[in-house]
Amino acid sequence: MQITRNSLDTSAGPSDWFTGAVYIDTIAAPSTDWRIGAAAVHFTPGARTAWHTHPYGQTIWVTEGVGLCQREGGTIEVIRPGDRVFFEPGEEHWHGATRTRFMTHLAMLEVDESGNAAAWGDHVTDEEYAAAPSVEG
């Protein structure tokens, strides 16, 4: 058995990447020998990512709360604990919490040969976010 003790502090999500308060706990960080990254991302109500893409795609797995996700040109989808979402390589998308609920997901991805995990775009506007379906429960 091998236990790796966490030595990394929870970090605040950068305002260039997120709207609202978001906190990130790194699980696995890419290195010269390892291209996989994973993190637990904690969104406060109303918080969300900016539009972005990933060179090799991204999988998110919701662990608690209620969230939203959308790919460019698609409808906003409600996501709940146990739901997995895979965003295709290069697919522009966003994800975050609903207006009234926290949401945490595990984010898993592979960085490219230069170590890039994502290409960040514009913030999701309040008008875009307001198009989300109402959420109960």
Side-chain angles (χ1 to χ4, degrees):
M1 175 171 66
Q2 178 183 2
I3 298 175
T4 302
R5 301 291 180 198
N6 186 0
S7 62
L8 299 175
D9 291 337
T10 298
S11 62
S15 61
D16 289 350
W17 300 353
F18 298 100
T19 297
V22 176
Y23 300 93
I24 302 168
D25 287 309
T26 299
I27 297 168
S31 68
T32 55
D33 298 324
W34 182 257
R35 291 185 19 186
I36 302 299
V41 186
H42 312 272
F43 295 84
T44 59
R48 56 202 181 262
T49 69
W51 287 98
H52 63 287
T53 63
H54 300 280
Y56 293 105
Q58 178 188 43
T59 296
I60 62 172
W61 182 57
V62 180
T63 60
E64 62 183 328
V66 182
L68 304 167
C69 65
Q70 181 182 25
R71 67 180 177 169
E72 185 179 29
T75 60
I76 299 174
E77 301 288 341
V78 176
I79 50 177
R80 299 178 183 277
D83 289 349
R84 276 187 325 273
V85 181
F86 176 68
F87 299 104
E88 296 285 341
E91 180 175 59
E92 192 164 15
H93 66 281
W94 67 270
H95 36 97
T98 65
R99 254 184 222 296
T100 60
R101 298 287 301 269
F102 286 84
M103 189 271 290
T104 298
H105 67 54
L106 298 181
M108 298 158 277
L109 54 81
E110 181 179 353
V111 299
D112 67 15
E113 296 75 17
S114 300
N116 298 312
W120 294 94
D122 294 334
H123 283 272
V124 173
T125 66
D126 291 340
E127 293 76 23
E128 289 172 316
Y129 184 76
S134 67
V135 178
E136 295 181 24

